[in-house]
Amino acid sequence: MRMREVSRRTNLSSSSIHFYLRQGLLPPPEKLTPNSALYSEVHVQRLLLIRRLRGQGLPLAAVRRVLELVDQGVEPSVAAALQRAVVAGLAPAAMRSEESYDAAALASASGLGVELVERLVDAGVLVAPPGASFDLIDLSIARSLAEFLKRVPATVEDLAAIAGHLRDASAKEMELRNRAAQELEAPAAAALSGRLQEWANLWHAYLFSRLRQQEIAVHGLGVGEQRVGQGPDQEKS
C-alpha cells in the first residue's frame, strides 16, 4: 500500500510516519522510486502500536524499548506495562537500565538467591530471551516470584508443573500458527501471527477465569473460605 493509505488507516500524518522511519522504529518499506515506496500490514500494525503507546504518554525512548521487547517475543501489553512503570518511577533503579543480567546478578537483584534462580531456570520457570542474558522482563518476574514464594508454600516442582503446561500450550499454538501461515507471504504471515497472539491471550484469560470459577464453585476456597454472596460480617447458617 502507498503512504496515503497507511496514513489513513493509522490516522498519522506522512511526516510522523517518516519520522518514525528515521528513528528506526519501522522496517524500511519497499522502495519503488527515490520518492515512492510500498508499505505492508506490518507497518500499519506497528504504527498503530506506536500511536497507542504515545497516546498513553510514553516517551520515544520507552516506545523504542517496548518495540524491542515485542520483537523479542514479549506480548505488547506486558512490554508496555513494564515501560509505564519505568517511566512513572515505580520500578527499582536496576530496572531502569538497559543492562542484562546473568543468573548471579538476577539472583542478587531479585532477592531469590543464586541456588533458587538456578533451580527455577533448570525447571523452565524462568526463561531468558533466545540467545541473550536475562533482561528487565526476567527481573520483574523474578521479583514477583520472590514475593509470591514468601506468601505461598509452593515448591519449584509446583511452578515447573504449571510452566510445563504453558510450554505445551505454546508449542501447540505455534504448530497451529505455522499450519495457518505456511502458504502466506511474510507480511501476511506476520499480521496473522499478531492476530493469533491476541486471540490466544484472550482465550487464556477467559479459560483461566472460567475454570477458576468452576473450581471455587465445586471445591470452595479452602482455609478461611467465604461463601459466594456472603459478606464478611454475615454468619454462616
Side-chain angles (χ1 to χ4, degrees), residues 88-100:
L90 300 177
M95 287 183 63
R96 292 197 288 268
S97 72
E98 296 293 329
E99 296 179 3
S100 60

Side-chain angles (χ1 to χ4, degrees), residues 75-91:
E75 297 173 15
S77 59
V78 174
L82 283 169
Q83 285 305 299
R84 282 196 296 272
V86 170
V87 171
L90 300 177

Side-chain angles (χ1 to χ4, degrees), residues 18 44 62 98 137 189 206 209:
H18 283 303
V44 171
E98 296 293 329
I137 294 289
Y206 161 78
S209 175

Side-chain angles (χ1 to χ4, degrees), residues 119-197:
R119 290 180 62 202
L120 291 170
V121 171
D122 289 341
V125 177
L126 287 172
V127 183
S133 302
F134 296 107
D135 60 18
L136 63 86
I137 294 289
D138 304 297
L139 179 56
S140 174
I141 297 303
R143 289 181 184 277
S144 296
L145 281 172
E147 180 67 19
F148 175 81
L149 291 172
K150 287 179 183 178
R151 298 173 180 271
V152 179
T155 66
V156 172
E157 289 71 26
D158 292 328
L159 300 177
I162 298 172
H165 289 304
L166 294 174
R167 190 173 295 106
D168 291 343
S170 177
K172 173 55 70 174
E173 288 167 6
M174 282 301 298
E175 176 188 330
L176 295 175
R177 177 267 176 202
N178 293 337
R179 190 187 305 170
Q182 61 184 350
E183 302 297 333
L184 299 177
E185 298 293 334
L192 176 64
S193 295
R195 292 297 296 163
L196 290 178
Q197 186 63 59

Side-chain angles (χ1 to χ4, degrees), residues 190-210:
L192 176 64
S193 295
R195 292 297 296 163
L196 290 178
Q197 186 63 59
E198 292 175 4
W199 168 79
N201 293 342
L202 180 63
W203 189 43
H204 293 173
Y206 161 78
L207 278 179
F208 187 86
S209 175
R210 284 290 188 259

Side-chain angles (χ1 to χ4, degrees), residues 2-8 10-26 39 47 50 54 60:
R2 300 300 184 105
M3 172 64 75
R4 180 178 298 178
E5 176 67 9
V6 176
S7 179
R8 184 190 67 79
T10 61
N11 200 26
L12 290 168
S13 66
S14 59
S15 60
S16 294
I17 296 172
H18 283 303
F19 171 75
Y20 293 135
L21 279 167
R22 291 194 300 272
Q23 292 297 313
L25 302 182
L26 298 171
Y39 299 83
L47 283 166
I50 292 170
R54 295 290 279 167
L60 198 63

